[in-house]
Amino acid sequence: MDQRDYLVAQEICRRHLVSELSQRTFINLKIQFFFWSHMAVFAYSGVRDLRAQSSEETSSWWSMVANFQHEHRYRIAIACIALGYVVLFFTWMYPQRTVSKLVLMKGGQMVRVTTYSHFGRTKDFTVPLNDISCKQSRLAEGVQVSLKIRSRWFYYLLDKREGKFVEPQLFDYVIGLNRSIK
């Protein structure tokens, strides 16, 4: 396959094959952010002052909750917005850390890592083999294998349940090693 055929095949994949993971993540992103934004608006404007007038009513549990909500409604709104942004951040970052394809390049010294991106796209980069460390075995319990790549934040995740290892022994002896990365 020459370079032109590779680019045509890549363009067809970008146009027609939208990743199911990316679609689910984007829908979850919109729902979660809308939910926490709505909670923040409600916490700020929807809480009424229900302070009790008599001493009998102030001793009930519900009146204490209502007083707390009214006194701290700004803090509750800010906490909801902050939680919404935290959920947004992790929902945005998860597909970028999920490995779609792992290819050992010709010569055996470089590895091309292809990850999912948003809106059905993929992102790939090439790293030296010595910069990849596999934190657990492919045969270990669990659903994912985590890879640490030098000078990159977070771990990259390989799905063992739905993913396919084309050359399992090659992965175990070349990429699946726990290397010392500092």
Side-chain angles (χ1 to χ4, degrees):
M1 176 183 278
D2 65 346
Q3 183 68 20
R4 185 174 182 278
D5 291 340
Y6 174 74
L7 292 175
V8 169
Q10 188 177 13
E11 186 63 30
I12 289 172
C13 288
R14 282 188 180 161
R15 286 186 187 168
H16 298 294
L17 300 177
V18 177
S19 166
E20 182 181 334
L21 174 68
S22 195
Q23 285 179 343
R24 283 185 292 170
T25 304
F26 188 66
I27 290 170
N28 187 20
L29 176 97
K30 291 190 295 189
I31 291 171
Q32 287 287 327
F33 192 69
F34 174 76
F35 172 76
W36 288 109
S37 299
H38 179 71
M39 288 296 290
V41 169
F42 176 75
Y44 179 72
S45 63
V47 176
R48 294 177 289 177
D49 188 8
L50 299 176
R51 293 185 184 154
Q53 302 298 329
S54 67
S55 62
E56 291 177 2
E57 294 176 8
T58 58
S59 64
S60 74
W61 185 77
W62 288 110
S63 65
M64 290 188 328
V65 169
N67 287 339
F68 179 81
Q69 283 181 339
H70 183 71
E71 291 172 4
H72 299 287
R73 67 183 178 161
Y74 301 112
R75 292 184 184 123
I76 293 171
I78 289 171
C80 286
I81 289 172
L83 188 60
Y85 276 111
V86 167
V87 169
L88 176 79
F89 173 75
F90 283 110
T91 307
W92 188 261
M93 290 303 292
Y94 182 75
Q96 294 180 358
R97 297 298 172 183
T98 304
V99 175
S100 167
K101 196 183 323 178
L102 200 60
V103 178
L104 183 65
M105 303 298 285
K106 188 175 182 180
Q109 297 301 315
M110 301 293 280
V111 176
R112 180 186 303 143
V113 180
T114 304
T115 63
Y116 293 106
S117 185
H118 300 287
F119 311 113
R121 297 186 180 179
T122 58
K123 178 178 77 170
D124 59 338
F125 55 92
T126 305
V127 294
L129 183 62
N130 294 331
D131 289 350
I132 295 179
S133 176
C134 189
K135 293 301 175 185
Q136 68 262 18
S137 171
R138 174 182 58 87
L139 303 173
E141 288 186 27
V143 180
Q144 297 173 330
V145 174
S146 59
L147 296 172
K148 178 65 180 155
I149 298 177
R150 182 177 297 164
S151 73
R152 302 232 179 210
W153 288 19
F154 304 114
Y155 285 87
Y156 288 86
L157 303 172
L158 290 169
D159 190 5
K160 294 191 300 187
R161 203 174 11 163
E162 295 179 18
K164 179 181 175 187
F165 291 92
V166 179
E167 295 281 340
Q169 277 84 21
L170 183 65
F171 176 83
D172 290 340
Y173 294 128
V174 178
I175 297 173
L177 300 175
N178 189 0
R179 295 178 179 87
S180 167
I181 295 180
K182 294 182 182 180

